[in-house]
Amino acid sequence: MTFSDLISASVIRIRSRAPFFGALILFAKIEENLDIPTAATDGKKVYFNPKFLATLSPNELDGVMLHEVLHAALLHPIRCQKRLSRIWNWAADIVVNGMILDQGYFSL
């Protein structure tokens, strides 16, 4: 499957499983980026390395997609400001991963 096919399939799965998150994803601008190892967001766009994307199961892809979209939706990159970025990102990861777990994407 192509990058676009994988992203489209993930969006469809998320929209059918979690309509609120699906609505957020409809506004996400998603792009390929070979300069990052996995996935990232700058708060405006979500970036995926296509090689990383191809290694994920559908459930994992949906989880990573939600993870990055929620960072952007909650303005985490913008709100970091002058805080220690590594610590801020860990705290933000706890928030978004908790939201994803609550939706049943992964179990502990």
Side-chain angles (χ1 to χ4, degrees):
M1 292 181 88
T2 68
F3 177 85
S4 182
D5 291 340
L6 291 169
I7 295 298
S8 295
S10 179
V11 169
I12 290 168
R13 284 190 303 271
I14 292 169
R15 286 186 65 203
S16 66
R17 185 173 180 177
F20 175 74
F21 290 157
L24 291 177
I25 285 176
L26 289 177
F27 294 98
K29 295 177 182 162
I30 301 166
E31 293 184 3
E32 290 183 48
N33 188 326
L34 295 171
D35 296 330
I36 58 170
T38 57
T41 184
D42 60 6
K44 297 176 185 169
K45 295 180 182 177
V46 173
Y47 304 98
F48 282 97
N49 183 312
K51 293 177 186 175
F52 168 72
L53 194 79
T55 68
L56 301 175
S57 71
N59 197 46
E60 290 169 333
L61 172 56
D62 296 352
V64 174
M65 174 82 77
L66 282 175
H67 180 93
E68 297 303 334
V69 168
L70 286 170
H71 274 310
L74 296 171
L75 305 176
H76 288 160
I78 297 162
R79 291 173 46 215
C80 180
Q81 296 180 355
K82 295 184 183 202
R83 296 174 177 95
L84 297 173
S85 60
R86 179 169 281 183
I87 294 171
W88 174 262
N89 192 53
W90 288 338
D93 282 347
I94 290 168
V95 171
V96 298
N97 290 342
M99 294 173 75
I100 294 166
L101 282 170
D102 283 347
Q103 288 296 314
Y105 276 91
F106 299 100
S107 59
L108 297 175

